[in-house]
Amino acid sequence: MTVAELINKDIFKVLVEGEETSADISKVFCCDLLSIAMSRASAGCAWVTVMGNINTLAVATLTDAACIILAEGIDLDDAALLKAKEEGITVLQTELPVFEAALAVHELLV
């Protein structure tokens, strides 16, 4: 499944539609500790987190995550929203808890 296909499922609100929506989503990754995410998130993952700041965007770029999904109704702060638009990083949002958001994506992948 690509990021564009995930967006088209209308499960998540699109905060920023990035430049690489044709990127394949290979798996789901859940983590809120950025140092762990930096070392364990795999390229092509849909990263589910509650961290809506600019550092999250940096880690997503370093790990080549396909997209970020902010759970629990978390928003990007103003600086992060601007940076996500500038860098073309897809950021989605949901009111769902982290587990349920990840499960929704996982079920689409299997």
Side-chain angles (χ1 to χ4, degrees), residues 1-20:
M1 176 175 57
T2 66
V3 173
E5 291 169 333
L6 177 60
I7 289 170
N8 290 334
K9 297 289 182 186
D10 289 326
I11 299 170
F12 305 112
K13 177 182 175 184
V14 178
L15 297 180
V16 178
E17 185 170 332
E19 297 170 358
E20 296 186 35

Side-chain angles (χ1 to χ4, degrees), residues 35-79:
S35 59
I36 291 176
M38 201 166 19
S39 64
R40 296 189 183 167
S42 60
C45 71
W47 178 17
V48 184
T49 184
V50 295
M51 299 295 294
N53 61 47
I54 202 161
N55 294 329
T56 303
L57 302 174
V59 171
T61 299
L62 284 171
T63 61
D64 202 22
C67 64
I68 299 168
I69 301 170
L70 296 175
E72 305 278 352
I74 298 298
D75 277 316
L76 288 172
D77 62 36
D78 292 338

